[in-house]
């Protein structure tokens, strides 16, 4: 069993910055990737950013250079630095981790953290 605990959400004004962090604990094995997704009520969950164990990154098209994902392998944490935030970035942000290399055998989700961008 793996637990993912997110922190860092909150209210920020448009144009501001916010940093999300996610810590993994429990029966961690062979991390394939860690990343962030977001969801707005009534819409599908969408990819924000993912970082693979090999160091590759993938960002949602809407990110456009505003967000940066990073990972501390020793601490099993992944962070998302968000800048130039827009009102449309308002959503619940979920940490995601996939375990198993080369084949993913387990996927875990955090409980979500609310990010609200509003003046």
């Amino acid at each position: 069993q793996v637990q993912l605990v997110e922190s860092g959400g909150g209210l920020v004004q448009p144009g501001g910055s916010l940093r999300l962090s996610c810590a993994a604990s429990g029966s961690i094995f062979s991390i394939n990737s860690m990343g962030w997704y977001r969801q707005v009520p009534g819409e599908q969950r969408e990819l924000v950013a993912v970082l693979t164990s090999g160091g590759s990154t993938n960002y949602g098209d809407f990110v456009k250079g505003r967000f940066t994902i990073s990972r501390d392998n020793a601490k099993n944490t992944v962070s998302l630095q968000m800048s130039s935030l827009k009102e449309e970035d308002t959503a619940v942000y979920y940490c995601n981790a996939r375990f198993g290399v080369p084949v993913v055998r387990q996927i875990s989700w955090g409980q979500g953290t609310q990010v609200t961008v509003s003046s």
Side-chain angles (χ1 to χ4, degrees):
Q1 192 81 7
V2 176
Q3 295 80 41
L4 301 178
V5 179
E6 300 117 333
S7 61
L11 173 65
V12 63
Q13 292 187 341
S17 299
L18 210 58
R19 184 178 181 87
L20 305 181
S21 293
C22 172
S25 62
S27 302
I28 299 169
F29 67 96
S30 301
I31 295 177
N32 186 299
S33 67
M34 294 186 75
W36 294 89
Y37 289 71
R38 71 183 189 183
Q39 189 169 23
V40 175
E43 298 185 10
Q44 286 191 337
R45 194 169 295 188
E46 63 178 349
L47 170 71
V48 178
V50 65
L51 177 58
T52 71
S53 58
S56 299
T57 58
N58 189 27
Y59 292 93
D61 290 341
F62 60 86
V63 171
K64 299 187 187 301
R66 299 181 297 129
F67 300 173
T68 302
I69 189 171
S70 61
R71 196 173 125 189
D72 185 331
N73 293 329
K75 298 180 179 179
N76 292 319
T77 60
V78 64
S79 297
L80 183 70
Q81 179 67 45
M82 303 186 291
S83 303
S84 302
L85 284 161
K86 307 174 183 178
E87 290 187 350
E88 49 264 43
D89 292 318
T90 296
V92 178
Y93 284 69
Y94 294 91
C95 180
N96 170 272
R98 300 171 187 260
F99 303 93
V101 178
V103 178
V104 174
R105 291 185 283 148
Q106 181 177 331
I107 299 174
S108 296
W109 292 94
Q111 79 285 356
T113 185
Q114 177 70 45
V115 171
T116 302
V117 184
S118 176
S119 55

